[in-house]
Amino acid sequence: MESQRSILIIALAFVSYLLWQQWHEAYGPQPVQPVSQDMADSVPAGVPSASPVTTANGTDEDVPVAVSDTLPQATASNNTQQSISVKTDTLNVVISLVGGDVIHADLVKFPVTQGSDEPFSLLRANNGLYVAQSGLVGANGPDGSPQGRPLYQAAASSYELTGDTLQVPITWSSNDGISVTKTFIFTRDHNDVKVSYTITNNSGQTAQFQQYAQLKQTTAEQKGGNMFMPTYRGAAFGTADDRYNKYSFGDIEDDPLRENTVGGWVSMLEHYFISAWVPPQSETNSLYSRLVGGQYAIIGYTGEATSVESGKAIELNSTLYLGPKDQDKLEQLARGLDLTVDYGVLWWISKPLFGLLKFLHGLVGNWGLAIILITIIVKGAMYWLTKKQYESMAKMRNLAPKMQQLKDRFGDDRQKMSQAMMELYKKEKVNPMGGCFPLLLQMPIFLALYWVLLESVELRHADFILWITDLSVMDPYFVLPVLTGASMWMLQKLQPTTMTDPMQQKIMQWMPVAMSIFFIWFPAGLVLYWFISNVITLVQAKMIYASMEKRGIK
């Protein structure tokens, strides 16, 4: 029984490894294909018209369409200012005055590599196009004009946050008396930017407008995770009925998004970071997606159509988030936006584990120590299961001679053999699954913690001690994997086996070596958890065996 379980576990691990490897080859990140500025300028704009999305399964006519084939250029002289820069304590952004798009965004508090002075660039106009566009369409919307998108004017070429908030207004006026002030509102210690439109109509007739916002990114594959640390780069959205949906570039190509919802949101994800547009949550918005030019993915929304009488003014608002996947802040912006920190099917275990991990970090101030403490807590809470497991395994080993006698007595009569085994288990009060069941209960916790360590931006560049300066990546000197393998070998020696087949014995002897190699690519924080878990298990095993000896259980 024990040998069968061991072989089954090894087989499942090997098959899982092969499946994971195949998945990574098919869908995993690949090296980036740089996009030049000239290419970026020639990308189809994909600016939506005012056509609403009427049904979740609408036709192409129901979907916003591009009003021009190329990115519109403002009709202005070469001396006309084309962009402005904004610096805050969290963001350095560049806003194009053509359309008022955010074409570059650096995350000031997140270096591209540990110890680097260069901030991580989330949005960029070249080297892999990724921009946040927004504007006004409709019958009188300047972004829906066949002549091209509007050229806004700004009072200055650069702005810097000095107080708690910073407002950056850009203005546009038409020849027929319509004026628009598009204001970007930045707040200290915030990664969300409020985007407000003040529309004044002095045209002498009623004007109609519709707000839109979208994220546009190249679909060219970029360097990212590895086989053991898979990361998702693609789109996601949320609706009133379905809080979180991944929407890959392949989905955008094969099945473009067309859905109406109250509230909702759209986003682009790349491992620890997210860009997201959050429309007014009390209004009905139309979510859409589109593949442009065969190589650029767009996901966005259009808001409700709004009429402005002559002599009147209205204000439209939305929110652009550019930053880390901070669950607490994302949850405040929109329902389900925090689920972009994707813990998978075990989220119901991962979320409490992450909450406990954050609490422990608040006490000790070191994520590595917090991982050690959470391991002690988890293993302590599961001590009774470990005790049951070891006692069951010991009793099964003690039954080995009697099991052999039954085999000799009944030979190939499987029915009588099974009946005799069940009677023996009942007489000796042994549960044959007692050694396997506790292990099955612990595996979901291991997997849940794996996703916590993989997805939580708080662990990015998190220092521990000595050579381990980033718990979210593999140990650079492979010390933890080797120690983990050594602890597994010690556990193996502490637990006698009933295996008699020489091949099975050799496989089990080499398991610690195989697992050490396996753990090389895992995040150092996860390997630390596994190593400390093994050490605690060794201590618990000594205690359990000592207790069993006192009770006469060999």
Side-chain angles (χ1 to χ4, degrees):
M1 181 67 69
E2 185 177 347
S3 63
Q4 291 175 352
R5 287 201 306 270
S6 301
I7 294 299
L8 178 61
I9 292 172
I10 295 171
L12 287 174
F14 183 70
V15 171
S16 299
Y17 169 82
L18 293 178
L19 289 174
W20 201 347
Q21 188 177 46
Q22 186 63 38
W23 175 91
H24 182 74
E25 290 176 357
Y27 303 104
Q30 301 294 329
V32 63
Q33 300 293 328
V35 179
S36 67
Q37 183 63 52
D38 291 340
M39 289 178 64
D41 289 341
S42 64
V43 176
V47 175
S49 69
S51 303
V53 179
T54 57
T55 65
N57 297 311
T59 63
D60 290 339
E61 286 75 19
D62 297 323
V63 184
V65 295
V67 297
S68 61
D69 294 331
T70 58
L71 189 64
Q73 301 296 312
T75 55
S77 67
N78 293 332
N79 296 326
T80 301
Q81 180 183 337
Q82 294 290 306
S83 65
I84 57 175
S85 62
V86 182
K87 292 185 177 182
T88 74
D89 62 325
T90 57
L91 294 166
N92 287 342
V93 304
V94 176
I95 301 171
S96 172
L97 293 179
V98 181
D101 298 336
V102 181
I103 59 173
H104 190 92
D106 289 339
L107 306 184
V108 176
K109 296 183 178 180
F110 295 88
V112 64
T113 57
Q114 194 170 29
S116 171
D117 293 330
E118 180 185 356
F120 179 84
S121 292
L122 182 61
L123 300 184
R124 48 203 173 267
N126 50 20
N127 194 27
L129 182 76
Y130 184 5
V131 295
Q133 299 178 306
S134 58
L136 298 170
V137 291
N140 303 97
D143 289 274
S145 170
Q147 286 74 37
R149 301 185 66 197
L151 175 64
Y152 286 90
Q153 303 295 321
S157 61
S158 63
Y159 296 80
E160 186 169 355
L161 176 68
T162 56
D164 291 333
T165 60
L166 171 65
Q167 295 192 16
V168 179
I170 55 177
T171 59
W172 169 87
S173 297
S174 68
N175 294 328
D176 57 1
I178 295 176
S179 63
V180 176
T181 299
K182 185 175 184 178
T183 305
F184 297 84
I185 305 172
F186 299 84
T187 305
R188 182 172 297 278
D189 198 34
H190 279 242
N191 286 86
D192 53 298
V193 182
K194 306 296 181 184
V195 181
S196 173
Y197 298 89
T198 300
I199 307 170
T200 303
N201 179 18
N202 291 316
S203 65
Q205 58 185 354
T206 300
Q208 293 185 341
F209 302 91
Q210 193 172 3
Q211 181 180 198
Y212 86 94
Q214 62 188 24
L215 298 160
K216 178 166 60 179
Q217 183 176 185
T218 176
T219 59
E221 296 179 342
Q222 300 184 23
K223 187 176 181 180
N226 58 48
M227 180 171 54
F228 303 102
M229 295 168 58
T231 58
Y232 174 75
R233 187 178 77 92
F237 68 93
T239 66
D241 296 327
D242 200 347
R243 294 188 300 164
Y244 171 63
N245 295 272
K246 276 185 176 179
Y247 211 68
S248 69
F249 295 147
D251 293 332
I252 291 176
E253 180 178 10
D254 298 335
D255 185 21
L257 175 64
R258 302 150 171 79
E259 189 158 349
N260 288 341
T261 181
V262 175
W265 51 269
V266 294
S267 70
M268 288 285 189
L269 312 177
E270 51 178 85
H271 199 183
Y272 294 117
F273 304 105
I274 175 177
S275 63
W277 279 109
V278 181
Q281 294 298 286
S282 60
E283 298 179 8
T284 298
N285 302 292
S286 301
L287 311 186
Y288 65 87
S289 70
R290 188 186 311 109
L291 190 69
V292 181
Q295 55 183 332
Y296 300 96
I298 288 177
I299 187 167
Y301 81 90
T302 54
E304 296 179 349
T306 303
S307 297
V308 185
E309 296 179 2
S310 181
K312 301 289 184 178
I314 64 164
E315 184 174 308
L316 302 176
N317 298 281
S318 62
T319 300
L320 173 63
Y321 181 87
L322 303 168
K325 293 180 184 178
D326 187 314
Q327 296 179 60
D328 294 336
K329 292 181 179 180
L330 293 175
E331 189 175 18
Q332 295 173 5
L333 291 178
R335 178 178 177 267
L337 192 56
D338 59 308
L339 297 180
T340 53
V341 183
D342 193 351
Y343 292 142
V345 296
L346 295 174
W347 61 269
W348 51 280
I349 301 177
S350 296
K351 275 186 169 291
L353 282 177
F354 177 71
L356 177 58
L357 195 62
K358 281 187 68 175
F359 172 76
L360 295 173
H361 175 260
L363 294 179
V364 299
N366 183 292
W367 286 106
L369 293 178
I371 291 173
I372 293 174
L373 289 176
I374 199 173
T375 307
I376 294 173
I377 292 172
V378 170
K379 292 296 293 184
M382 302 186 72
Y383 173 74
W384 65 276
L385 278 174
T386 304
K387 185 177 180 181
K388 292 279 188 184
Q389 176 186 1
Y390 277 69
E391 288 183 351
S392 178
M393 292 168 63
K395 291 177 180 179
M396 286 295 294
R397 284 192 294 268
N398 289 337
L399 287 181
K402 295 182 180 180
M403 294 287 289
Q404 188 60 46
Q405 291 176 8
L406 292 178
K407 291 179 181 179
D408 295 338
R409 182 187 306 174
F410 296 107
D412 296 331
D413 193 334
R414 293 182 177 273
Q415 183 175 359
K416 290 185 178 180
M417 178 67 182
S418 298
Q419 292 176 351
M421 286 173 59
M422 295 306 295
E423 290 176 1
L424 180 62
Y425 291 149
K426 186 176 181 180
K427 178 182 177 182
E428 299 291 339
K429 298 180 180 179
V430 173
N431 181 359
M433 295 298 294
C436 186
F437 183 66
L439 180 64
L440 294 177
L441 285 181
Q442 294 178 57
M443 285 307 295
I445 296 177
F446 167 75
L447 293 174
L449 192 56
Y450 165 77
W451 285 109
V452 167
L453 298 175
L454 181 66
E455 277 287 300
S456 300
V457 68
E458 289 82 356
L459 293 170
R460 182 180 186 263
H461 298 170
D463 193 14
F464 180 33
I465 57 172
L466 302 177
W467 72 96
I468 302 178
T469 59
D470 190 349
L471 289 165
S472 66
V473 299
M474 65 184 190
D475 185 337
Y477 299 112
F478 316 127
V479 176
L480 281 176
V482 172
L483 291 176
T484 303
S487 65
M488 291 180 66
W489 178 81
M490 294 176 67
L491 275 172
Q492 198 177 77
K493 291 298 181 182
L494 192 63
Q495 302 170 2
T497 179
T498 58
M499 287 183 183
T500 57
D501 183 73
M503 180 59 70
Q504 292 182 16
Q505 289 179 348
K506 286 187 177 295
I507 291 175
M508 293 307 297
Q509 287 173 359
W510 284 98
M511 275 297 291
V513 177
M515 290 303 293
S516 293
I517 297 174
F518 193 71
F519 275 125
I520 285 176
W521 290 275
F522 273 69
L526 185 71
V527 185
L528 175 64
Y529 162 77
W530 196 265
F531 169 62
I532 297 301
S533 179
N534 284 351
V535 172
I536 295 172
T537 302
L538 279 168
V539 175
Q540 290 180 340
K542 287 287 187 180
M543 295 169 56
I544 293 168
Y545 286 154
S547 173
M548 289 165 58
E549 289 287 346
K550 290 181 181 180
R551 289 181 286 142
I553 304 175
K554 186 176 180 181

